[in-house]
Amino acid sequence: MNLMTNEVREILPHNMREAFDLIVEQKVLGASNHIAMVGDMIEAIALRGKEEKRPVSQVIHEILTVAEFFIATRGEASQAVSNAILLMIHNVREYAGIDMESAAERMIEDKNSYAATAADAVRQCVAHGVKLAEPMQKIFVYDYSSTVEKFLRGLKENGKQYEIYIAESRVIDGGRPFVRACQEAGHKIKFIPEAAMMYYLRDCDGVFMGAETFYPDGTGFNTTGSDIVGLICGYYKIPLYFLTPFIKLDIRPVTGRRKNLVYNDLKDKLTAGWGDDIDKEGIDFVTPELVGVEPGAIRAFITEIGVIPSGQMYGVSMEYSKNLRGEL
C-alpha cells in the first residue's frame, strides 16, 4: 500500500480495516459489494464519533476523506461507486452545526436511505431479467457481478433447471464466485476458460453481464474480455444483455469528457506458476481492468425501469441524470 492508502486506512475504525483491504487488494469483486462496504465504513465512523464524543467537524472530515479516496480510486473505474458515495454523503457537511449524536443518526439515515433505494432497484433489475430469461435454456455469464449473481439465483422462480456457462476471467478470476450461486440454485454448470468462449457461446440462448459503468449512448463497460464476448455475440447473433441499475450511469461523455481506463499490473497473477528459471524483469504485465462494449453488440440493458434496447438508452439516461443531479 502507498502512503496515501495507509493514511486513509488508519482513519477507519479497526473493525473496518479488513473491508478496506479487501477492496483495495481486489479480493472482493463487484461495484455493488464495494458500495455496501463503503457504506458500512461511513456508518462505523459515525458511530465511533458518537461513542467517543469526537467533534462533529472531525467526523465529517474522516467520512469525506474515506469517501474521496474511494471516488478517486474505485470510482475511477466504476462511476456507480462515485454516484453512490456522493448520494450517501450528500448532506454530511450540513451537520457541522449540530451535536454529534444527532449528526451520527442523520449520517446513518442518509446511508441507509441510499441502500434501501439501491436494493429495490437491483430487485427490479433481477425481476425483469428473470422474466426475460424464462424461455431460455442455456445462459452464458462473463465476469462477476453481484447483480448477475442475484439473477442466477432468481432463475429458480422459473421452475426449471438452466445450464449456465461460466467463463473464467483470468484478469480478476471473475467466474469462480458464480459457481456457488449456481450450485445453490440447482443449475447445471459448464465452467470454461475464456479462450474457449468462441466454441461454446454458439450453443447459448443468451448472454448476461453486469456493468461497472455505462454511457448514455449504450456503451457498457465490464472486465477486459467483455469486448470479445460482444464480438462473438455479434458473429453468432446471440443476444447480449447488460443487467444493471441506473446508478451505474456515467454522464461524462455528454460533456466532452471520457472515462479514464484503469490498468492493473498482473505480474503476480500471470506468473504464479512460473519457475525461478524464467526472468520476469523487463516484461510488461500491465492490462486494462475494464473495456467498453459497443452499443451495437448489446441487445438491451435490463434496468429497474425495464428492458431497454441499447440504441434507446440516451433519452432515459439523460432523464435519470437530471433527477440525480437534483438529489445531489
Side-chain angles (χ1 to χ4, degrees):
M1 292 186 184
N2 59 36
L3 181 59
M4 177 59 182
T5 303
N6 279 325
E7 289 174 351
V8 175
R9 185 179 188 274
E10 290 298 313
I11 288 174
L12 291 167
H14 287 283
N15 64 335
M16 284 290 108
R17 293 179 184 179
E18 181 181 3
F20 180 90
D21 295 340
L22 290 173
I23 296 176
V24 170
E25 297 169 11
Q26 296 189 48
K27 292 182 178 178
V28 169
L29 305 178
S32 297
N33 286 334
H34 293 174
I35 291 165
M37 294 163 76
V38 173
D40 291 341
M41 294 176 198
I42 292 171
E43 179 171 348
I45 292 171
L47 289 174
R48 181 183 62 185
K50 181 176 72 171
E51 293 166 1
E52 297 181 0
K53 295 182 171 55
R54 295 190 175 194
V56 177
S57 59
Q58 178 183 343
V59 174
I60 292 173
H61 173 74
E62 292 168 349
I63 288 175
L64 290 175
T65 299
V66 171
E68 289 165 3
F69 172 81
F70 282 111
I71 288 173
T73 55
R74 189 66 186 86
E76 186 61 39
S78 173
Q79 188 66 24
V81 174
S82 295
N83 290 345
I85 292 173
L86 288 171
L87 285 171
M88 287 190 282
I89 65 170
H90 71 288
N91 289 327
V92 70
R93 291 182 178 87
E94 298 176 10
Y95 305 143
I98 63 177
D99 63 276
M100 187 60 242
E101 184 168 350
S102 298
E105 291 177 1
R106 295 188 187 183
M107 291 169 182
I108 295 170
E109 284 175 4
D110 289 343
K111 186 269 295 186
N112 289 340
S113 176
Y114 163 76
T117 300
D120 185 60
V122 170
R123 280 193 295 271
Q124 293 178 62
C125 288
V126 169
H128 291 306
V130 169
K131 182 177 180 181
L132 179 69
E134 196 281 329
M136 299 180 184
Q137 188 62 47
K138 296 182 178 181
I139 289 174
F140 183 96
V141 292
Y142 183 75
D143 184 47
Y144 182 74
S145 156
S146 59
T147 304
V148 175
E149 179 182 343
K150 291 180 177 66
F151 160 74
L152 291 172
R153 293 182 183 276
L155 288 174
K156 289 191 300 182
E157 298 173 13
N158 288 334
K160 64 179 184 179
Q161 184 185 51
Y162 287 84
E163 184 170 3
I164 308 299
Y165 285 66
I166 304 172
E168 182 57 278
S169 165
R170 198 175 184 192
V171 175
I172 56 172
D173 297 332
R176 181 181 59 176
F178 283 140
V179 172
R180 179 174 296 176
C182 289
Q183 288 175 333
E184 292 176 352
H187 302 313
K188 183 178 178 181
I189 302 170
K190 179 71 175 179
F191 196 92
I192 64 171
E194 56 192 351
M197 293 191 298
M198 188 78 180
Y199 182 83
Y200 284 108
L201 255 169
R202 59 188 173 184
D203 297 327
C204 296
D205 302 307
V207 179
F208 292 80
M209 290 196 288
E212 284 285 347
T213 300
F214 69 90
Y215 286 164
D217 70 354
T219 300
F221 283 85
N222 198 27
T223 297
T224 297
S226 300
D227 49 353
I228 300 174
V229 175
L231 290 171
I232 298 172
C233 286
Y235 184 81
Y236 286 126
K237 309 303 180 187
I238 300 167
L240 167 60
Y241 299 101
F242 269 65
L243 190 65
T244 177
F246 266 96
I247 191 67
K248 297 189 178 184
L249 171 66
D250 186 345
I251 204 72
R252 287 178 293 182
V254 176
T255 60
R257 295 176 295 161
R258 303 294 292 179
K259 176 183 177 64
N260 293 320
L261 289 183
V262 174
Y263 292 83
N264 294 327
D265 189 340
L266 301 181
K267 179 178 179 180
D268 292 340
K269 180 182 290 289
L270 296 181
T271 63
W274 291 19
D276 295 333
D277 58 321
I278 300 180
D279 184 6
K280 303 173 187 177
E281 299 304 317
I283 301 176
D284 187 350
F285 295 98
V286 175
T287 303
E289 179 180 326
L290 303 173
V291 294
V293 181
E294 295 297 319
I298 303 171
R299 176 70 60 85
F301 286 78
I302 305 173
T303 74
E304 61 265 45
I305 66 172
V307 181
I308 306 171
S310 60
Q312 297 178 19
M313 285 294 287
Y314 186 84
V316 287
S317 294
M318 296 306 294
E319 184 64 25
Y320 176 84
S321 177
K322 178 181 177 182
N323 293 334
L324 182 64
R325 288 197 305 270
E327 291 178 32
L328 294 178

